[in-house]
């Protein structure tokens, strides 16, 4: 048996300990699974990291993935700061894509082109916000767990997107390929030089900085953090917790929706199979690794981006399934929890007390 | 709608309900002991894959089912270690388990995509299957469906009539008092969590061996999450969990009914949303009723780690 003793003096270099335990756990677990699959883990890791970090293409792709990951990470972190769990970023991201594509489908011919892109982005964010607002409303009105509702709505959003691109929004010139028509150039988010890195990078970094400032310095941020420490105390202090819940969840959904609008307007240029790539779920891991601190989120998003791009490269170079990145992510989250535990407790084997049989 | 239509829908409803029921029943025991495990979806996925893998290796449906249960239980053991021994945030540990389980199943399952799989055959219960209509609906199913029938009263008896059930509920309500009364809190919680994992694995194995034989990526389609919602709907009671699972199965059956009859009342995609939307509606109804009745919601110590030092 193991016994946990509370640490009375905080562990030195706690953040570094947590991060190294998390990474170490992830790499060890990944190696074990690859060995089980019959692949050499060292070769596989070499291929992964060379694929992600060893070329300009790999490096830029890491940044490309880090853009939606930063946004969904911020979305999860904002909610979690006040003890709300938004596990529905995937659905909100998809709704952001639907909103973006919807503007193109309905207004592209009539809207003056300089207004089209802003409309695409704003509508994407609004749809994401709406999709998160429903669970917030249910939480406030009927005390329904937002964990379950946000999650169940992910499936609904994905089915809705499939319905649209298989059905009414299907590209008539798509040669039977299920997807919406390509966005017109006026609805495309500008890319950087010759890469797929797009303007969303600026949005993501600015929002991380803005959210850091808001949470750390503003009166509103203070009230969010207070609510996170204890909703009841916040209520006594005269804060309107239900209103705060609605606002924070909607803002969180807007961030995820923005990620979806960015993917639609800058990467895919349409809705199609593979649009829901799991960035919403990854946001949970990004937010945790960053200890819910917005300023750390872009860096954690880059780390996860390395895993994802590495996994994709592994699939092409060694024909191993790209889902190795999912395993690494799950193990990373477990490793993070383990590392945090080290920070809080000293672990030692239990001794039998003398005299006790 | 004719009688035979209703019988057709009910038969598929019974067939569709088993996976969600197994997973929900397991989670009821887990939560009754005070542990929240949100990893059900991940455990179901690995259970489904293990069922296919063991099935194709041994061609034995019993071993395949046990394989699914064992793998689900093993993953639950991981959650138990983190939640009970290390006392980490159970929400996060469960989510980590779902992500890890989904990744494992997807990675290791690649080899089984599109391969012919072991198929659990329908077994007609002697005498009972000859009853008109009812016999066909309830007693011409795969053996795992019968296991579900038997588990409903058995689980209710264990939980509410046995000494073990009393201890489980005591640990989930007030771990400190149970500990003072000499109940081994950690052992009970470990046992219930692992049992929950085995049941989730069984639900997964049911999907891949009996419901739609073979391995498909993400084949659980959120049924693990629906099972967790069913626990709340069932107010942590096995009998009501089966009722909830039947409700879910009925919605799944409607899809088949419309496909089979060729009637398109609503687009098929909208039908596919029904189980998720209905689950949310059911949650709303339960929570609103709870508020007006003022009854408690779930075990008091749910999600709270226990240690003697406090």
């Amino acid at each position: 048996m193991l016994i946990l003793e509370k640490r009375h003096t905080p562990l030195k270099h706690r953040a570094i300990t947590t991060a190294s335990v998390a990474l170490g756990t992830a790499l060890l677990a990944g190696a074990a699974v690859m060995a089980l699959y019959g692949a050499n883990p060292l070769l596989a890791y070499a291929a992964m990291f060379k694929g992600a970090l060893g070329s300009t293409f790999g490096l830029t792709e890491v940044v490309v993935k880090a853009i939606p990951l930063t946004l969904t990470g911020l979305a999860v972190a904002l909610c979690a700061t006040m003890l709300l769990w938004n596990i529905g970023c995937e659905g909100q991201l998809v709704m952001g894509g639907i909103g973006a594509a919807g503007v193109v489908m309905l207004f592209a011919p009539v809207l003056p082109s300089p207004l089209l892109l802003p409309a695409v982005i704003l509508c994407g964010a609004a749809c994401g916000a709406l999709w998160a607002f429903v669970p917030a409303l249910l939480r406030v009105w009927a005390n329904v767990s937002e964990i379950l509702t946000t999650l169940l709505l992910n499936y609904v959003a994905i089915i809705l997107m499939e319905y649209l691109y298989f059905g009414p929004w299907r590209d008539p010139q798509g040669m039977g390929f299920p997807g919406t028509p390509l966005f017109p150039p006026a609805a495309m988010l500008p890319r950087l030089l010759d890469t797929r890195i797009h303007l969303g990078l600026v949005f993501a970094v600015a929002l991380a900085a803005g959210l850091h400032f808001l949470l750390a310095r503003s009166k509103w941020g203070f009230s969010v953090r207070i609510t996170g420490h204890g909703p009841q105390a916040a209520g006594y202090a005269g804060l309107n917790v239900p209103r705060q819940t609605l606002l924070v969840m909607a803002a969180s959904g807007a961030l995820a929706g923005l990620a979806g609008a960015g993917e639609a307007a800058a990467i895919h240029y349409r809705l199609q199979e593979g649009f829901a790539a799991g960035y919403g779920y990854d946001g949970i891991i990004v937010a945790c690794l960053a200890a819910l601190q917005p300023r750390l989120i872009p860096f954690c998003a880059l780390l996860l981006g390395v895993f994802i791009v590495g996994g994709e490269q592994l699939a092409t170079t060694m024909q191993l399934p790209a889902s190795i990145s999912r395993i690494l992510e799950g193990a990373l989250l477990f490793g993070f929890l383990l590392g945090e535990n080290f920070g809080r407790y000293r672990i030692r084997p239990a001794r039998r007390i003398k005299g006790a049989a | 709608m004719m009688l035979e239509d209703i019988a057709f829908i009910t038969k598929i409803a019974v067939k569709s309900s088993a996976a969600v029921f197994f997973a929900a029943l397991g989670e009821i025991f887990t939560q009754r002991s005070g542990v929240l495990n949100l990893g059900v979806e991940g455990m179901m996925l690995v259970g489904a894959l293990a069922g296919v893998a063991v099935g194709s290796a041994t061609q034995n449906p019993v071993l395949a089912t046990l394989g699914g249960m064992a793998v689900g239980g093993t993953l639950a053991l991981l959650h138990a270690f983190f939640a009970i021994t290390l006392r980490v945030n159970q929400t996060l540990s469960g989510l980590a388990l779902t992500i890890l389980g989904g990744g494992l199943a997807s990675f290791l399952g690649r080899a089984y995509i599109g391969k012919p799989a072991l198929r659990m055959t329908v077994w007609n219960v002697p005498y009972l299957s000859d009853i008109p209509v009812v016999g066909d609906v309830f007693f011409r199913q795969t053996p795992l469906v019968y296991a579900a029938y038997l588990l409903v009263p058995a689980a209710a008896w264990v939980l509410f009539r046995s000494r073990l059930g009393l201890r489980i509920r005591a640990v989930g309500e007030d771990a400190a008092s149970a500990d003072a009364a000499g109940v081994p809190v950690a052992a009970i919680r470990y046992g219930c969590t692992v049992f929950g994992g085995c049941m989730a694995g069984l639900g997964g194995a049911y999907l891949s061996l009996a419901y739609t034989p073979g391995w498909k990526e993400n084949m659980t389609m959120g049924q693990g999450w629906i099972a967790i919602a069913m626990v709340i709907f069932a107010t942590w009671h096995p009998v009501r969990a089966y009722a909830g699972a039947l409700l879910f199965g009925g919605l799944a059956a409607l899809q088949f009914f419309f496909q089979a009859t060729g009637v398109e009342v609503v687009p098929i995609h909208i039908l596919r949303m029904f189980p998720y939307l209905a689950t949310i509606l059911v949650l709303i109804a339960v929570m609103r009723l709870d508020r007006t009745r003022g009854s408690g919601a779930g075990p008091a110590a749910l999600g709270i780690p226990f240690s003697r030092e406090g």
Side-chain angles (χ1 to χ4, degrees), chain A residues 198-342:
Chain A
H198 53 87
L199 199 61
L201 178 66
V202 179
F203 280 103
V205 173
L207 282 167
L211 203 61
H212 167 71
F213 178 79
L214 271 179
L215 279 179
R217 300 256 186 279
S218 76
K219 201 176 148 193
W220 175 77
F222 180 69
S223 72
V224 170
R225 283 185 291 131
I226 288 292
T227 315
H229 282 297
Q232 228 158 8
Y236 292 139
L239 293 169
N240 188 336
V241 177
R243 204 179 64 193
Q244 188 86 286
T245 303
L246 295 174
L247 180 69
V248 163
M249 280 288 274
S252 172
L255 286 165
L258 211 53
E263 290 298 289
I267 301 294
H268 298 278
Y269 295 141
R270 55 157 59 104
L271 296 182
Q272 59 183 0
E273 190 78 55
F275 187 83
Y279 296 136
Y281 300 102
D282 299 335
I284 302 164
I285 300 165
V286 170
C288 286
L289 290 183
L292 307 186
Q293 296 201 37
R295 59 187 167 151
L296 297 180
I297 281 176
F299 301 102
C300 296
L302 281 171
L303 172 69
L304 234 60
V306 170
F307 280 3
I308 294 172
V309 176
E312 286 173 358
Q313 292 295 306
L314 193 64
T316 50
T317 54
M318 286 179 71
Q319 275 74 51
L320 285 171
S323 37
I324 187 70
S325 55
R326 290 258 157 242
I327 298 176
L328 291 176
E329 285 168 21
L332 196 63
L333 192 44
F334 271 122
F336 166 78
L337 293 171
L338 190 65
E340 263 226 322
N341 182 280
F342 284 161

Side-chain angles (χ1 to χ4, degrees), chain B residues 17-33 40 147-160 168 192-193 195-200 202-203 223-224 226-228 230-232 234 236-242 245:
Chain B
S17 62
V20 165
F21 169 69
F22 288 135
L25 182 68
E27 183 74 7
I28 284 175
F29 275 80
T30 307
Q31 293 196 8
R32 279 276 182 184
S33 79
V40 180
Y149 299 161
L150 298 177
L151 270 169
V152 176
W157 185 84
V158 168
L159 212 46
F160 300 111
I168 291 172
C192 286
T193 307
F195 174 74
C198 291
M199 294 306 288
L202 176 62
Q223 291 196 35
I226 291 176
I228 297 174
M230 281 306 156
V231 173
I232 298 171
W236 293 265
H237 197 295
V239 177
R240 280 186 287 249
Y242 194 71

Side-chain angles (χ1 to χ4, degrees), chain A residues 14-31:
Chain A
R14 185 167 160 175
I16 297 170
T17 312
T18 307
S20 24
V21 171
L23 256 178
T25 310
L27 293 178
L28 273 178

Side-chain angles (χ1 to χ4, degrees), chain B residues 48 126 249 280:
Chain B
I280 293 175

